[in-house]
């Protein structure tokens, strides 16, 4: 077995810096920020039908142009997650968060003024670039302020609840707002919230990151590594398995999320409930997350729980093409996405952050999320769009996404078998 696989995991500090009200000031604030960021990511899916009419790509060109517009965000997201994690590794995470919130909020605001598909796509790339740089900073904060016993809960609050509350409430609330006032006011309002609410909250209450998030500790500088961002520091070959599992996650998540407001109306339910039904998979996820989160922290069995998320969710989604019943198809989507996200998402980030040395967290989470969510999302968006154009239905694309998720679960299983032995986690 290669030496990097035999090595002991990098130890977390025995204690983390003291910060009054840290759950509110770190997890709570970052939850609010990611909530707004995810509204900015998903709003185009809600408005795309009316945008296509106003910007002239309705009809035969809708499938290709809407796929381009919807995945443009993910192109910028892929590139900037990767670069942002490396380029900002020595910069205080708080200031990067402030700059990126201002950037993606301004791009969202400007989308409400555009009359061109080209400008729309460019601004969506801009949203992706700023949100991609934003992403790794959350986990630099988590690594600094929370210990291993708290990490699943911290990860769930910072990343999971911000993301899935936005998707559950966003589709439910923004769909009627867009229908009543139009897509332009929707973008103006969301951009203004980022600039006038999130940005001042971060500036006033978010603490500056302590030194452990910006430079290597003495232990990290030992062993000849010098605290450098080497392949071994990332975990060697097993790190690639982690990245692939998140790529499969990105395909399943974004392949559904980009298209769910378009998929639901094809089931023939009453139009008045389409917004609620689009939110339903994320509501299921929120309900299931609490037991999964507690189970992960109390047992330390984060790996098997996360693996089950990809495998079980993948199996359920793969079965979508096997039934012609709209009710059965919708139920499989709700249960598949709901269980997958509840079991996989909070635990995968706790696994990654606790496995990695502090100086590697920003770059590594950027790579995982960039290639995983960004790359997986781009591939999934193009795949589902192409299969829609070829077959006139979303079911085949959803089933293929399920099969990819199963492969991602197998990769994560191998990763957990190759991880160095870690001390038992004591319940907080």
């Amino acid at each position: 077995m290669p030496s990097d696989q035999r090595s002991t995991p990098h130890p977390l500090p025995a204690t983390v810096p003291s910060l009054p009200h840290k759950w509110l000031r770190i997890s709570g604030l970052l939850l609010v920020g990611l909530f707004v960021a995810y509204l900015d990511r998903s709003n185009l899916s809600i408005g795309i039908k009316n945008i296509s009419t106003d910007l002239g790509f309705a009809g035969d060109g809708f499938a290709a142009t809407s796929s381009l517009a919807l995945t443009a965000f993910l192109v910028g997201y892929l590139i900037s997650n990767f670069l942002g994690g490396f380029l900002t590794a020595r910069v205080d995470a708080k200031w990067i968060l402030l700059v990126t919130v201002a950037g993606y909020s301004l791009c969202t605001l400007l989308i409400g003024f555009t009359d061109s598909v080209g400008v729309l796509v460019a601004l969506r790339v801009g949203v992706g670039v700023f949100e991609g740089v934003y992403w790794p900073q959350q986990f630099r904060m988590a690594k600094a302020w929370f210990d291993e016993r708290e990490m699943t809960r911290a990860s769930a609050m910072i990343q999971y609840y911000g993301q899935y509350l936005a998707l559950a409430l966003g589709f439910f609330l923004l769909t009627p707002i867009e229908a009543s006032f139009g897509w332009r006011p929707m973008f103006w309002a969301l951009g203004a919230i980022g600039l006038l609410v999130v940005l001042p909250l971060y500036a006033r209450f978010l603490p500056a990151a302590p030194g452990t998030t910006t430079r290597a500790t003495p232990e990290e500088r030992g062993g000849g590594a010098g605290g450098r961002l080497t392949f071994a520091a990332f975990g060697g070959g097993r790190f690639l398995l982690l990245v692939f599992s998140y790529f499969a996650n990105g395909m399943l998540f974004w392949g559904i999320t980009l298209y769910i407001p378009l998929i639901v109306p094809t089931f023939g339910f009453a139009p008045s409930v389409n917004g609620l039904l689009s939110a339903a998979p994320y509501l299921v996820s929120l309900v299931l997350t609490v037991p999964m989160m507690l189970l992960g922290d109390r047992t330390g069995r984060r790996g098997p729980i996360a693996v089950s998320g990809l495998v079980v969710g993948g199996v359920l989604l793969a079965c979508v093409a096997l039934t012609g019943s709209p009710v059965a198809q919708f139920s499989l989507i709700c249960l598949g996405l709901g269980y997958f996200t509840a079991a996989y998402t909070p635990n995968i980030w706790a696994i990654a952050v606790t496995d990695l040395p502090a100086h590697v967290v920003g770059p590594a989470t950027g790579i995982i999320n960039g290639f995983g969510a960004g790359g997986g999302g781009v591939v999934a968006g193009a795949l589902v769009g192409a299969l829609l154009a070829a077959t006139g239905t979303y079911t085949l694309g959803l089933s293929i996404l399920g099969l990819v998720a199963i492969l991602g679960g197998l990769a994560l299983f191998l990763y957990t078998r190759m991880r160095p032995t870690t001390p038992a986690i004591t319940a907080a």
Side-chain angles (χ1 to χ4, degrees):
M1 183 180 292
S3 60
D4 69 289
Q5 295 174 11
R6 292 196 308 267
S7 61
T8 57
H10 193 281
L12 288 171
T15 60
V16 293
S18 175
L19 178 70
H21 311 296
K22 72 174 181 179
W23 287 96
L24 180 62
R25 293 186 62 187
I26 303 296
S27 298
L29 283 178
L30 292 176
L31 183 157
V32 170
L34 196 62
F35 178 89
V36 174
Y38 259 85
L39 292 180
D40 290 345
R41 299 180 192 197
S42 58
N43 52 20
L44 188 63
S45 298
I46 295 168
I48 193 68
K49 283 285 190 181
N50 289 328
I51 292 172
S52 70
T53 299
D54 290 351
L55 301 191
F57 60 90
D60 293 341
F62 177 78
T65 305
S66 64
S67 177
L68 173 64
L70 290 168
T71 56
F73 162 85
L74 292 165
V75 173
Y77 196 62
L78 187 162
I79 297 169
S80 63
N81 256 281
F82 179 76
L83 295 178
F86 284 92
L87 296 179
T88 64
R90 301 286 188 249
V91 182
D92 189 335
K94 174 177 178 174
W95 296 107
I96 303 301
L97 289 167
L98 291 174
V99 171
T100 52
V101 168
Y104 68 69
S105 298
L106 182 60
C107 287
T108 298
L109 182 74
L110 293 176
I111 287 173
F113 295 97
T114 185
D115 288 311
S116 160
V117 172
V119 173
L120 170 66
V121 170
L123 288 171
R124 287 293 290 182
V125 171
V127 173
V129 167
F130 284 109
E131 291 202 8
V133 177
Y134 174 101
W135 183 272
Q137 317 312 319
Q138 303 171 107
F139 298 105
R140 295 174 64 199
M141 287 284 192
K143 182 74 171 183
W145 294 110
F146 298 98
D147 65 33
E148 185 175 352
R149 297 171 301 168
E150 302 168 321
M151 197 58 71
T152 299
R153 285 166 290 164
S155 172
M157 283 188 66
I158 292 171
Q159 189 267 333
Y160 181 87
Y161 277 104
Q163 175 178 340
Y164 289 98
L165 281 172
L167 293 168
L169 296 178
F171 286 130
F172 179 62
L173 297 175
L174 294 181
T175 297
I177 290 173
E178 193 271 343
S180 300
F181 300 102
W183 62 273
R184 294 184 188 276
M186 177 179 66
F187 280 94
W188 295 334
L190 291 174
I193 289 171
L195 292 169
L196 301 179
V197 177
V198 177
L199 197 59
L201 283 175
Y202 276 21
R204 174 66 180 85
F205 296 108
L206 195 67
T212 52
T213 64
T214 58
R215 60 179 178 268
T217 65
E219 292 84 358
E220 287 162 353
R221 289 191 292 270
R228 293 188 298 272
L229 299 176
T230 63
F231 187 50
F234 283 93
R238 65 182 182 275
F239 179 70
L240 302 180
L241 293 170
L242 191 64
V243 172
F244 178 75
S245 87
Y246 208 76
F247 178 87
N249 154 82
M251 285 195 65
L252 186 59
F253 173 78
W254 282 108
I256 295 174
T257 299
L258 289 174
Y259 291 99
I260 192 70
L262 303 175
I263 293 171
V264 166
T266 67
F267 292 136
F269 301 121
S272 59
V273 299
N274 282 345
L276 176 60
L277 295 179
S278 295
Y282 310 101
L283 292 171
V284 172
S285 178
L286 290 171
V287 170
L288 293 175
T289 294
V290 173
M292 292 297 175
M293 177 178 64
L294 294 175
L295 188 63
D297 268 346
R298 291 187 180 277
T299 68
R301 304 288 290 171
R302 293 164 177 154
I305 295 170
V307 169
S308 78
L310 281 171
V311 174
V312 174
V315 169
L316 292 172
L317 267 298
C319 292
V320 168
L322 302 180
T323 175
S325 166
V327 173
Q329 290 176 342
F330 179 69
S331 298
L332 287 169
I333 291 171
C334 285
L335 292 174
L337 185 65
Y339 181 80
F340 145 64
T341 51
Y344 180 83
T345 307
N347 286 297
I348 195 64
W349 289 114
I351 290 169
V353 173
T354 54
D355 276 6
L356 295 166
H359 73 294
V360 171
V361 167
T365 55
I367 292 171
I368 295 167
N369 199 51
F371 284 115
V378 169
V379 172
L383 174 68
V384 175
L387 290 174
L388 170 64
T391 67
T393 179
Y394 293 97
T395 56
L396 180 59
L398 294 178
S399 292
I400 292 175
L401 297 180
L403 295 175
V404 174
I406 294 170
L407 294 177
L410 296 176
L412 183 58
F413 174 76
L414 291 176
Y415 173 85
T416 61
R417 302 295 294 178
M418 297 166 65
R419 288 172 76 196
T421 302
T422 57
I425 299 172
T426 304

